[in-house]
Amino acid sequence: MAKILFVMTGADHWTLADGTRHPTGFWAEEAVVPYEAFTGAGHEVVVATPGGVVPQVDQASLAPDFNGGPAGASRTAAGLAAMTALQQPVKVEDADLADYDAVYYPGGHGPMEDLSADAASGRLLTRALASGKPLGVVCHGSAALLAARDDDGASPFAGYRLTGFTNAEETQAGFASKAAWLLQDRLVAMGADFQEGEPWASFVVTDRSLVTGQNPGSSAAVAAELLNRLG
């Protein structure tokens, strides 16, 4: 049995360019689908957040429109309720990589608010990448990569092939014109080799130990790849 660390946003809002706070948190599908895949395979999941706060779900991610209809929304809500680890998070600043076999970052707009600048999470990511342990990141979870730095202050992810929520998807979601910055732009600026698939379609990029998914629909494929690497 492996032990997998879910590093999740502790934010309940995303500050837009005009200073308004858009209610958010983590995206349900990106947490529930991998959690069910990992625990269904017999593995243990531990949740970590900045300060150890209980993570908040983005209520929009529970809507039928984002879950294939009412039945899908009910399944997602039930899966979320079964994630007991969400109620007992550890502090990301106290998380010891040596205790875990893999690390996973779900998204939602919340990571744009906190994990994108969280030094403790950035240190964990830098160590995880150097360790060669499987590291999975989905959608806006890729914002956390922006906080990672190596000893000379550069991004350890520079030169890595990866993906995340694209400018096209942010535009179609209605937030590109409102955001203070766009994830794809920042990942490119830090030196990543950003790969872009079709909007909303499952798209996964692997490079060495790093496994990234573009959007919520990519979470199942990312989880499957991590499970394959755990053996």
Side-chain angles (χ1 to χ4, degrees):
M1 182 182 75
K3 195 173 183 180
I4 303 164
L5 183 67
F6 272 39
V7 182
M8 302 180 65
T9 179
D12 62 3
H13 68 275
W14 176 32
T15 304
L16 302 178
D18 64 0
T20 60
R21 292 186 167 196
H22 172 69
T24 188
F26 67 89
W27 198 259
E29 179 180 359
E30 298 168 31
V32 170
V33 170
Y35 178 86
E36 291 179 341
F38 297 143
T39 57
H43 302 309
E44 178 185 356
V45 170
V46 175
V47 171
T49 62
V53 301
V54 174
Q56 301 298 307
V57 67
D58 188 321
Q59 292 298 318
S61 69
L62 299 176
D65 286 352
F66 293 112
N67 290 279
S74 294
R75 285 194 299 271
T76 298
L80 189 64
M83 286 185 66
T84 53
L86 288 173
Q87 304 305 317
Q88 302 165 331
V90 300
K91 296 179 180 179
V92 68
E93 49 268 36
D94 294 340
D96 185 348
L97 182 65
D99 295 336
Y100 302 95
D101 301 288
V103 179
Y104 172 70
Y105 278 70
H109 278 117
M112 300 279 281
E113 184 73 21
D114 60 354
L115 295 180
S116 62
D118 189 279
S121 171
R123 288 191 294 271
L124 178 69
L125 283 164
T126 301
R127 292 195 295 269
L129 195 65
S131 75
K133 293 181 178 182
L135 172 59
V137 187
V138 169
C139 200
H140 289 95
S142 293
L145 307 184
L146 300 172
R149 294 287 182 272
D150 56 26
D151 290 340
D152 63 6
S155 171
F157 294 94
Y160 270 75
R161 295 177 64 253
L162 55 79
T163 191
F165 205 64
T166 65
N167 289 355
E169 287 168 324
E170 204 73 86
T171 298
Q172 291 177 22
F175 287 107
S177 63
K178 303 175 184 177
W181 50 273
L182 297 176
L183 178 58
Q184 180 176 344
D185 291 348
R186 287 288 178 91
L187 292 172
V188 169
M190 81 176 190
D193 181 4
F194 190 90
Q195 306 290 305
E196 182 174 358
E198 290 298 316
W200 312 109
S202 179
F203 183 69
V204 175
V205 176
T206 61
D207 189 343
R208 289 156 276 185
S209 60
L210 180 65
V211 182
T212 53
Q214 180 173 307
N215 46 39
S218 306
S219 56
V222 169
E225 178 62 25
L226 292 177
L227 282 172
N228 181 57
R229 292 175 181 228
L230 287 168

